Amino acid sequence: MKRISKLLLWSSLAAALGAQPLQINLDQLASKASETVDVSLNGATLQFAAKFLDGKDSEEAKVKKLLAGIEGIYVKSFEFKTEGAWSKADLERLRNQLRPPQWSRIVGVTSTEDGETAEVYVRSENNKMTGLAILAAEPKEFTVVNIVGSLDLNSLADLGGHFGIPKVDVPAAQKK
Amino acid sequence: MDWLEQELKRALERKEPAPEFTARVLAAARRRPSLAARRWIAIAASVVVLAGGGVGYRWYAGIQAKNQVMLAVRIAAGKLNQVQTHVLEVTQ
């Protein structure tokens, strides 16, 4: 009986820890950045914000729909005046938290010419997506996005077509 | 003096107030709400001010939260689309 209760306790603890956001500790970059965006929204704040989203506005309606299954959104984005402000170690620290079996990298793009790196990771449980992480680094920019909860990746990508950013349709075969 | 002037003169002529008029005005001025009533009025006013402030603050916080959500989604969607663009460039 004790063994079962211990097992239950550990499994619930593991589940609770699994739903937690990434530890995005990039304070050393914040001090070097010329512009910093730091957004940290937990489930309660998201639910509260959703009440203020206008359902009649097409963009806000889509965001409202997207928020339905999301438990947290955490974004840190830094812009630097000079190159070399971030190091590979900064990327590695984040990658270390995005390891299998919970996380899997679905897309990874590295351009040695432009010095750009972009990686998309998804967290899944029982074949259901429960989290998303995007690491995007350019010579003068470093961005980490972590979304906790279930979301439709296509709906999020679709929003890229709004906000003045041209949407690029990836053929179905390339979508993972 | 025609009839109109006479009428006007009669209508506008000085009239003395009734003898008890001064007493009535002074009594009305002295008639203030009781201490308890004044307390309740003060409490009610405070509640109205606090409730108004609370609603205002809640609205402000909601708009702030909404703007934060829109900014976060804008960045996430933008980056995701950027990755898609890269993938498309590489695969084509």
Side-chain angles (χ1 to χ4, degrees), chain A residues 17-93:
Chain A
L17 285 172
Q20 284 196 345
L22 294 179
Q23 298 297 312
I24 310 172
N25 187 9
L26 297 168
D27 293 344
Q28 74 282 4
L29 295 187
S31 58
K32 296 177 198 168
S34 58
E35 208 171 295
T36 303
V37 175
D38 188 351
V39 180
S40 187
L41 301 159
N42 60 20
T45 314
L46 288 176
Q47 280 177 12
F48 178 54
K51 289 177 189 168
F52 289 84
L53 288 165
D54 185 4
K56 287 173 192 164
D57 182 287
S58 67
E59 286 166 7
E60 291 189 17
K62 283 186 177 183
V63 173
K64 197 172 188 172
K65 199 176 165 189
L66 194 75
L67 290 185
I70 296 177
E71 294 160 30
I73 302 181
Y74 306 90
V75 175
K76 281 203 187 218
S77 184
F78 306 101
E79 271 186 40
F80 310 100
K81 283 195 173 151
T82 54
E83 293 183 10
W86 60 270
S87 67
K88 284 188 176 175
D90 296 317
L91 264 179
E92 274 309 313
R93 262 201 307 276

Side-chain angles (χ1 to χ4, degrees), chain A:
Chain A
M1 189 65 189
K2 264 188 182 177
R3 203 174 271 182
I4 293 169
S5 57
K6 254 188 190 178
L7 198 68
L8 280 171
L9 183 72
W10 278 113
S11 59
S12 60
L13 192 67
L17 285 172
Q20 284 196 345
L22 294 179
Q23 298 297 312
I24 310 172
N25 187 9
L26 297 168
D27 293 344
Q28 74 282 4
L29 295 187
S31 58
K32 296 177 198 168
S34 58
E35 208 171 295
T36 303
V37 175
D38 188 351
V39 180
S40 187
L41 301 159
N42 60 20
T45 314
L46 288 176
Q47 280 177 12
F48 178 54
K51 289 177 189 168
F52 289 84
L53 288 165
D54 185 4
K56 287 173 192 164
D57 182 287
S58 67
E59 286 166 7
E60 291 189 17
K62 283 186 177 183
V63 173
K64 197 172 188 172
K65 199 176 165 189
L66 194 75
L67 290 185
I70 296 177
E71 294 160 30
I73 302 181
Y74 306 90
V75 175
K76 281 203 187 218
S77 184
F78 306 101
E79 271 186 40
F80 310 100
K81 283 195 173 151
T82 54
E83 293 183 10
W86 60 270
S87 67
K88 284 188 176 175
D90 296 317
L91 264 179
E92 274 309 313
R93 262 201 307 276
L94 293 161
R95 282 183 185 137
N96 283 338
Q97 296 179 61
L98 303 165
R99 293 214 178 272
Q102 287 179 326
W103 288 94
S104 52
R105 197 177 77 165
I106 57 164
V107 184
V109 180
T110 305
S111 166
T112 47
E113 196 180 313
D114 304 324
E116 290 180 16
T117 301
E119 293 167 6
V120 179
Y121 295 82
V122 291
R123 188 180 187 279
S124 45
E125 257 174 66
N126 305 323
N127 293 326
K128 196 184 163 197
M129 190 175 161
T130 56
L132 171 77
I134 303 170
L135 308 182
E138 292 172 32
K140 291 184 184 177
E141 201 183 315
F142 193 96
T143 304
V144 187
V145 176
N146 178 211
I147 298 178
V148 182
S150 61
L151 79 153
D152 180 14
L153 210 54
N154 287 330
S155 299
L156 179 62
D158 192 43
L159 279 164
H162 296 266
F163 304 127
I165 306 160
K167 182 183 177 291
V168 176
D169 281 320
V170 177
Q174 288 161 19
K175 284 182 183 174
K176 291 185 183 178

Side-chain angles (χ1 to χ4, degrees), chain A residues 41 46 48-49 52-53 60 73 107 109 116 118 136 138 141 143 145 156-157 159-160 163 166-168 170-171 174, chain B residues 58-59 61-63 65-66 68-88 91:
Chain A
L41 301 159
L46 288 176
F48 178 54
F52 289 84
L53 288 165
E60 291 189 17
I73 302 181
V107 184
V109 180
E116 290 180 16
E138 292 172 32
E141 201 183 315
T143 304
V145 176
L156 179 62
L159 279 164
F163 304 127
K167 182 183 177 291
V168 176
V170 177
Q174 288 161 19
Chain B
R58 197 176 153 77
W59 182 82
I63 295 297
K66 183 188 100 167
Q68 294 256 299
V69 167
M70 294 303 280
L71 175 66
V73 171
R74 188 176 296 145
I75 292 171
K79 289 295 168 195
L80 203 59
N81 224 251
Q82 205 175 320
V83 174
Q84 284 188 330
T85 313
H86 278 297
V87 171
L88 209 62
T91 52

